[in-house]
Amino acid sequence: MGVGVDDLEAMRAELVGYCYRMLGSAFEADDAVQETMVRAWKRAGSFEGRSSARAWVYRIATNVCVDLLRERRRRAVPMDLGPASPAAAVVGASGSADQPWLTPLPTDPGDVVAARDTVRLAFVAALQHLPVRQRAVLILCDVLSWSAADTAALLGVTAGAVNAMLLRARATLAARPASTRAQKLTEDDRQLLSRYVDAFERYDVDALVGLLHEDAVQSMPPFTQWLRGAAEIGRFLRGPGAGCAGSVLLPTHANGVAAFGQYRNHGDRHLPWSLQVLEVEGGRIAGLHCFLDPELFPVFRLPTVYFAGARSS
């Protein structure tokens, strides 16, 4: 019994989400899925039908992810690495090149709320604290709704072992700091984001601060420093972040929430600077996560250069 190309392609989007939750990197998730597809296609003739094709492919994907995770440290977000810093501490700061960072994932704005919630940055970051097998068990059982028996068959363990790992994984995540759940944007939220874009492109710091929660968080990987509080973020924007004046924001979606590609002014053009992922809560911006990695822009199908007047209507 073989597995057809159409069957594998139908699973690809779901596999990207699985591998992303396992690995914490959009780049690695894409590589892992490509490797999974190659291995599955090469081994299709050996598939005997003793499990579903889906379970067989997921077993391959899990092994690919385990192999990748053996080769590096846990991916993190700046909030994992220490307390918040004052804005002044960011002056002259340099990024950590040896720390693997969590990266955002392009998502379809039409995804259901439940699916968006399980790819939000805080949830994926928390998953990285779990041992690899616990991570796989929690994703398979709690995110993809696999049974303990099916998960056990995939991992080659007993159902009792799966239930024990699931309990430990849930306990570890429950002990992590609570985070905002991804919510479907309301019309008021969309207007809030429009005001954010307008204020940022005019670089009206007072207006920007007025859109933030009092205890809003700003992170800027690969900088290990992060900020907490609207007032502190305002100090950063007026100080170390003042070079962002004159930027242009282009909309996209990441991790189930609104995101923007930020392009900084370079004379007659704007060049990619950061991928901003925004968390909205209670009519204010609660999280502003700026990934300072221009290589993310093609992943999100954002242009690699922006010329004045090029914005679509």
Side-chain angles (χ1 to χ4, degrees), residues 1-3 39-50 56 60:
M1 177 180 176
V3 179
R39 292 188 191 182
W41 181 245
K42 287 181 177 179
R43 301 174 189 175
S46 65
F47 177 65
E48 298 177 352
R50 287 179 291 186
W56 181 72
I60 296 172

Side-chain angles (χ1 to χ4, degrees), residues 34-115:
Q34 293 293 342
E35 177 62 19
T36 297
M37 300 298 234
V38 169
R39 292 188 191 182
W41 181 245
K42 287 181 177 179
R43 301 174 189 175
S46 65
F47 177 65
E48 298 177 352
R50 287 179 291 186
S51 64
S52 68
R54 182 168 179 258
W56 181 72
V57 173
Y58 264 87
R59 183 180 299 113
I60 296 172
T62 300
N63 290 334
V64 169
C65 290
V66 169
D67 289 344
L68 287 170
L69 290 167
R70 285 196 186 109
E71 299 173 0
R72 62 156 175 78
R73 290 188 295 155
R74 169 179 63 86
R75 288 191 176 273
V77 290
M79 290 74 74
D80 283 338
L81 305 179
S85 302
V90 183
V91 178
S94 59
S96 177
D98 61 346
Q99 169 61 55
W101 295 104
L102 192 78
T103 68
L105 178 75
T107 51
D108 184 340
D111 287 347
V112 297
V113 172

Side-chain angles (χ1 to χ4, degrees), residues 3 14 22 25 36-37 46 58 61 76 135 145 179 182 185 187 200 212 228 231 257 269 274 296 301 307:
V3 179
E14 187 178 294
M22 285 288 290
S25 164
T36 297
M37 300 298 234
S46 65
Y58 264 87
R135 196 181 309 176
S145 300
S179 61
L185 290 179
E187 183 56 36
F200 197 95
L212 302 176
R228 181 182 293 279
V257 297
R269 66 192 64 192
S274 79
L296 286 167
R301 298 183 179 179
F307 293 96

Side-chain angles (χ1 to χ4, degrees), residues 16-26 29 103-105 119 121 124 255:
V16 168
Y18 174 69
C19 292
Y20 174 70
R21 295 178 182 100
M22 285 288 290
L23 301 169
S25 164
T103 68
L105 178 75
V119 293
L121 287 170
V124 177
N255 297 79

Side-chain angles (χ1 to χ4, degrees), residues 133-134 137-138 141 148 157-172:
R133 287 164 75 83
Q134 287 186 29
V137 164
L138 187 133
C141 293
V157 298
T158 65
V162 165
N163 287 327
M165 284 189 281
L166 185 58
L167 287 173
R168 289 194 292 271
R170 287 171 175 168
T172 299

Side-chain angles (χ1 to χ4, degrees), residues 192-244:
L192 169 70
L193 293 173
S194 293
R195 293 198 299 273
Y196 172 80
V197 172
D198 175 67
F200 197 95
E201 292 188 341
R202 292 187 293 105
Y203 214 69
D204 184 337
V205 175
D206 288 339
L208 284 169
V209 170
L211 302 176
L212 302 176
H213 264 288
E214 184 178 351
D215 61 348
V217 168
Q218 179 178 348
S219 66
M220 298 159 286
F223 293 127
T224 56
Q225 295 84 358
W226 60 282
L227 308 171
R228 181 182 293 279
E232 205 61 48
I233 293 171
R235 293 187 187 97
F236 168 79
L237 294 173
R238 293 185 178 93
C244 290

